[in-house]
Amino acid sequence: MESSIQDHPKLAIIGAGIGGLALAIGLIKRNIPVTVYDAAEQFSAVGAGIGLGPNALNAMDLVDNVFREKYDEVKTQNEKSEFEHSIFDALYAEEGFGQKRGWTRGLVGAPYFTRSSAHRKDLLEIMKSFIPEGSVKFKKRAISFEQVAKKVHIKFEDGTSQTVDAVIGCDGVKGLTRQAVLGETEPEEVQPAFMGMYIYRGIVPMSKAKEILGTHAGDAKFFMAKGKALAAYPISRGQDMNLVFFVTYDKPWTQGDRAISCTKEEMIEDLKGFDPKLLKLLDYCGPLRWPTWHHPKTSRYYKGRICLLGDVAHASSSHQAAGAGQGLEDAAVLSHLLTLIKTPDELETAFQVYDAIRRPRAQKVVYTSFEAGLIYTWQHPKIGDNMEAIKDNANERLHWIWQHDLKADIQKAEDDFHR
């Protein structure tokens, strides 16, 4: 279904990340005009690897089927055929990776699952190709949103302003649109919660990864220990390996929102007990500790004419590789709902339906991803360091995410909107 450009409400997307661009692609595909505003000077590929499950790929297809086709051209799969259907191979982080215990492999996946991931910059390059010139306005940091007379008035840091019929906030885990939606009624939910974990991250050329890890390079691995872990997986069509070291931290995080500097010695001390090969990979990680944040509770995804999408609504840990997929699902549902609108007065009905369908599922992903982080760092009270139980749990916990019927969600959204 397509809408007429002349009569459609004026929409603004705040944030040109994956969620914001996915929504923009979906709207442009459906002939709905939209402008994206972003604080950065240009498209930013902060972060590195992104894992996408079957549900995320289906969402791409429903946003724009060409989007999925283009992703297929840049995706990276596991290198060896025996890992084709594995999201990761669970191993011990200790010296020998568990072989001294008789542990050689802990495959997690499903026969219908084919692992794929992408470098964030490759994914953004694809997404940019769908966006017409001038549709994204850079250096536009929003500093306030005011809803007056069924309009939203946006003020920007550069002194300019814009008035639109609706704002869709896609401005990330600490985005200002969250304050606009939750600030008056649920102020305690505005700020994200510290997950009790910081990370070291980096990218190692695959040739070097193979020198260091041998046969363990080239395929997604999760090396686990008490209170710490390493996720390593191929990106950039197998040219690089993405590294994420997780370190638990049982105190409140009081050092601000951004990464903080540390020394190489502190990194090594944090990961004491890891196999020396894994510690060698720290040469490819900046000496920076990145705090991790999530939104364990969000009571609403919209207020009036302002709606939340992606991480600003439901930021989660990366332990189920499901965060980006939830933003893509949001975009698929909301872009369809916005095609049904005949007048601006129907915007809030669309947001209400979107909230009812997307929020329960996305918040469950937040909770279960946090739980997975506890399990994979041996902190779950019932599972502990039982790797067989960890593997079995991992093999059960992802099906409801991967096999979700998004087409049924979209059909229900349309039926509920008309009702």
Side-chain angles (χ1 to χ4, degrees), residues 343-365:
T343 72
D345 286 339
E346 295 177 334
L347 279 161
E348 288 184 49
T349 302
F351 292 158
Q352 180 182 355
V353 171
Y354 161 80
D355 176 272
I357 286 176
R358 287 297 306 141
R359 188 159 52 87
R361 173 167 164 79
Q363 292 305 132
K364 185 178 176 183
V365 169

Side-chain angles (χ1 to χ4, degrees), residues 81-336:
S81 59
E82 63 262 39
F83 297 109
E84 181 182 1
H85 302 294
S86 172
I87 187 171
F88 63 78
D89 177 16
L91 298 170
Y92 288 82
E94 67 192 23
E95 187 169 359
F97 308 132
Q99 281 194 327
K100 295 173 186 177
R101 305 169 183 252
W103 185 271
T104 56
R105 182 166 293 180
L107 291 188
V108 174
Y112 62 84
F113 171 86
T114 301
R115 194 193 187 287
S116 77
S117 56
H119 196 300
R120 185 178 293 265
K121 67 178 174 57
D122 290 335
L123 189 56
L124 283 175
E125 281 299 320
I126 288 170
M127 300 180 85
K128 282 162 51 179
S129 71
F130 289 89
I131 309 295
E133 191 77 30
S135 294
V136 180
K137 310 291 185 187
F138 290 110
K139 302 182 187 177
K140 302 297 281 188
R141 181 179 298 280
I143 57 172
S144 72
F145 304 93
E146 186 181 11
Q147 299 198 57
V148 179
K150 296 185 177 181
K151 298 281 186 181
V152 185
H153 188 63
I154 312 167
K155 285 187 179 177
F156 296 99
E157 192 174 60
D158 63 5
T160 63
S161 62
Q162 188 66 246
T163 299
V164 296
D165 291 301
V167 163
I168 298 96
C170 306
D171 44 345
V173 61
K174 300 226 170 186
L176 189 65
T177 54
R178 193 170 172 93
Q179 169 69 38
V181 170
L182 296 163
E184 287 186 9
T185 51
E186 291 87 17
E188 72 284 356
E189 295 179 14
V190 172
Q191 294 303 316
F194 177 56
M195 279 189 273
M197 193 175 287
Y198 57 79
I199 62 175
Y200 299 118
R201 63 191 189 192
I203 298 174
V204 56
M206 188 61 75
S207 58
K208 293 294 183 183
K210 289 184 175 182
E211 285 179 20
I212 295 167
L213 293 177
T215 58
H216 288 300
D219 305 295
K221 305 284 178 175
F222 218 127
F223 302 92
M224 303 178 188
K226 177 68 173 176
K228 47 201 168 187
L230 164 64
Y233 54 91
I235 57 171
S236 308
R237 282 152 282 191
Q239 297 303 302
D240 297 306
M241 198 153 195
N242 193 55
L243 306 170
V244 186
F245 289 89
F246 301 95
V247 180
T248 55
Y249 187 75
D250 60 6
K251 305 179 188 70
W253 187 267
T254 58
Q255 300 169 84
D257 300 345
R258 301 185 182 279
I260 61 166
S261 296
C262 62
T263 65
K264 182 73 174 294
E265 291 70 30
E266 286 172 326
M267 296 167 76
I268 292 170
E269 181 62 28
D270 270 345
L271 299 164
K272 194 173 181 178
F274 270 31
D275 186 294
K277 294 174 182 176
L278 301 184
L279 297 180
K280 182 68 177 169
L281 295 172
L282 290 173
D283 292 346
Y284 300 91
C285 297
L288 291 170
R289 288 173 171 160
W290 296 83
T292 57
W293 309 92
H294 67 162
H295 290 302
K297 186 174 182 189
T298 308
S299 295
R300 63 178 71 210
Y301 282 1
Y302 79 102
K303 180 182 179 184
R305 297 290 183 85
I306 302 176
C307 186
L308 306 178
L309 183 151
D311 281 353
V312 73
H314 45 71
S316 68
S317 92
S318 60
H319 291 94
Q320 295 186 132
Q326 289 309 293
L328 292 169
E329 287 187 20
D330 289 348
V333 173
L334 189 55
S335 61
H336 183 78

Side-chain angles (χ1 to χ4, degrees), residues 388-404:
E388 196 67 47
I390 290 169
K391 183 192 74 171
D392 290 346
N393 179 283
N395 271 309
E396 290 297 322
R397 69 185 302 109
L398 295 165
H399 302 297
W400 73 274
I401 299 176
W402 290 344
Q403 294 185 302
H404 186 70

